Amino acid sequence: MVGTFNYGLGSILPRVISFFLIPLYTHYLVPDDYGIVELCASIGLVTMTLMRFGVPGSVSRFYFDHKDNPEDLKDYVTTVHRFLIAGSIVVAILVGLVFYFFGEHITPGLLFYPFIVLVLINNTFSANSDLQRRLLQSAEKSRYTIYLNLFNSLIGIVAAIVFVVGFKLGAVGILLSQLITTAIFFVKAQLYLRPYTNGTFKTSMLKTSLKYGVNTLPHLLFVLLAPLISKVILLQSNSMAALGIYSLAYRFTQPLQILYTAFNQAFNPIYFSLRKENTEPVKIQKYFRIIWLVSSILLILSIFILPPLIPLITPPRFHNSADLVSILATSFIWQIIYFLTVIDFYYLKKTKYIPLITLGGLIANIIITL
């Protein structure tokens, strides 16, 4: 629970600041800007997942196999680090070629330069930060993560204000602020990882991580493709502005997403430790019941509190977003259901079954969207 609080605090405080900046952003941004940023975010998440091959997720599991042997751990981190950097560069080039030649047909209105270029550069430079966060999570260093998240978010917020409000760069300003933040934390992560990355690259360690990670890759892609496909359908059947209205509504549900991410990060190592210690199932079920109770209360409160806020703090051109907030908020409870269903598959390394569950969710999402 302390870990959940720490992860949540590190994520929530910057987001709270960002939330109170919504009236400022909506004054300088139009729905089209929000639509561009939202589409770039989804493309970025899918691209980043392809770049990583599911390997960062394997760190959360194999860390526990190597943590008692410092040399093994050093070799493992070195192997993963080099693979992530190389893989990110190769995938960035391939994705860039696809969008350069076919982007106008896939995402009409979204320019290759500067938007896609900024997304790809940002994702490539965030590879080592992803590895650092996985190591911090596995070592349960949630206090360090607070400072990291706060510093990261505050730099991004300040940069966004400078580019959006000061220079009035719109959507480009948001993406530039993300790139500057990523570049700073690329250096920060590199310094943190230095003691771990002077080991030996071992193909055997890469193979085990890839086997574990590739099994989860379809699941990760299915999870991220569902919202991306919905946004592309909305864009092609309506407009970038309509996507912007959706984007603002989604931003009002971010408190729930922050809490889910914090819970996910904190509970994973707790659950793995409990299973490794052969803890009684009754104790684990007690955790699950508490999670269900808290999640249900949070969902009910958000449905009643969040929608009325939009007309109060945004210009009239964004008021239609209020109609979508309650619908988007319900995804929180489905995330909890999914997480509690599959977490044991991750511990048992039976990751090949997980994509089947998420594929069903992807198909249902496309049908409902259409």
Side-chain angles (χ1 to χ4, degrees):
M1 292 302 175
V2 175
T4 300
F5 175 79
N6 286 341
Y7 285 122
L9 182 64
S11 299
I12 288 172
L13 287 181
R15 296 297 180 88
V16 169
I17 297 171
S18 181
F19 180 83
F20 283 107
L21 288 173
I22 285 179
L24 182 66
Y25 286 151
T26 52
H27 179 76
Y28 287 93
L29 299 175
V30 297
D32 288 83
D33 289 321
Y34 269 98
I36 290 171
V37 172
E38 185 69 23
L39 194 56
C40 285
S42 287
I43 293 171
L45 287 172
V46 172
T47 303
M48 187 182 298
T49 302
L50 290 171
M51 289 177 171
R52 308 300 188 255
F53 294 91
V55 170
S58 70
V59 174
S60 299
R61 179 61 185 88
F62 287 101
Y63 172 88
F64 294 92
D65 293 343
H66 300 295
K67 69 174 184 176
D68 296 326
N69 188 325
E71 290 304 314
D72 274 357
L73 181 60
K74 189 181 295 185
D75 291 342
Y76 180 69
V77 175
T78 298
T79 301
V80 171
H81 178 261
R82 293 178 184 176
F83 173 78
L84 289 177
I85 297 296
S88 297
I89 293 172
V90 171
V91 173
I93 293 172
L94 294 176
V95 173
L97 290 172
V98 170
F99 274 94
Y100 181 80
F101 290 105
F102 307 106
E104 186 57 34
H105 302 289
I106 302 172
T107 52
L110 187 67
L111 300 177
F112 175 78
Y113 181 83
F115 299 118
I116 298 299
V117 171
L118 288 173
V119 168
L120 295 177
I121 295 174
N122 185 58
N123 286 351
T124 302
F125 275 94
S126 65
N128 62 352
S129 296
D130 289 349
L131 177 56
Q132 180 192 17
R133 292 179 190 281
R134 290 290 183 169
L135 290 173
L136 290 171
Q137 176 190 349
S138 300
E140 298 187 49
K141 294 181 179 179
S142 56
R143 186 178 296 275
Y144 185 96
T145 305
I146 287 179
Y147 302 129
L148 191 68
N149 288 343
L150 282 173
F151 191 40
N152 185 316
S153 300
L154 289 175
I155 289 177
I157 290 169
V158 171
I161 292 174
V162 170
F163 287 121
V164 173
V165 178
F167 293 100
K168 297 180 175 60
L169 294 178
V172 175
I174 297 292
L175 295 178
L176 283 175
S177 68
Q178 293 171 356
L179 181 58
I180 288 175
T181 305
T182 299
I184 292 172
F185 281 88
F186 174 84
V187 176
K188 179 71 175 69
Q190 202 65 26
L191 293 174
Y192 177 87
L193 294 170
R194 181 179 292 176
Y196 297 97
T197 53
N198 57 357
T200 304
F201 182 93
K202 292 189 175 179
T203 305
S204 59
M205 288 183 171
L206 179 59
K207 286 181 178 178
T208 56
S209 285
L210 274 174
K211 182 178 179 181
Y212 182 95
V214 168
N215 283 335
T216 65
L217 185 58
H219 148 68
L220 295 172
L221 286 174
F222 293 154
V223 168
L224 297 173
L225 279 172
L228 176 58
I229 291 173
S230 297
K231 292 165 190 174
V232 170
I233 292 173
L234 178 59
L235 174 62
Q236 294 194 349
S237 63
N238 207 299
S239 66
M240 190 70 77
L243 182 56
I245 295 296
Y246 166 90
S247 172
L248 186 67
Y250 180 76
R251 288 171 189 270
F252 272 80
T253 67
Q254 284 302 288
L256 291 175
Q257 300 303 317
I258 294 166
L259 290 172
Y260 172 76
T261 300
F263 158 71
N264 188 315
Q265 291 175 335
F267 192 67
N268 253 311
I270 293 172
Y271 183 83
F272 288 170
S273 296
L274 290 172
R275 291 286 277 114
K276 192 170 184 179
E277 295 166 4
N278 294 319
T279 304
E280 290 291 330
V282 174
K283 184 176 180 180
I284 296 176
Q285 289 300 319
K286 183 179 178 181
Y287 276 102
F288 281 19
R289 285 195 295 271
I290 294 172
I291 292 166
W292 268 114
L293 177 61
V294 173
S295 301
S296 301
I297 292 172
L298 289 172
L299 177 61
I300 293 170
L301 289 175
S302 67
I303 289 175
F304 283 99
I305 294 173
L306 296 176
L309 290 178
I310 292 181
L312 292 177
I313 66 175
T314 66
R317 59 178 177 265
F318 288 102
H319 287 181
N320 287 343
S321 298
D323 300 331
L324 305 177
V325 173
S326 297
I327 299 172
L328 294 175
T330 58
S331 64
F332 172 71
I333 207 68
W334 292 109
Q335 288 176 310
I336 296 295
I337 292 173
Y338 171 81
F339 178 79
L340 296 181
T341 301
V342 304
I343 188 169
D344 205 52
F345 286 107
Y346 281 101
Y347 176 78
L348 297 173
K349 302 180 184 178
K350 295 181 179 180
T351 52
K352 62 182 179 180
Y353 299 112
I354 295 172
L356 297 176
I357 301 173
T358 45
L359 177 60
L362 173 62
I363 294 172
N365 182 83
I366 294 173
I367 293 173
I368 293 170
T369 302
L370 289 172

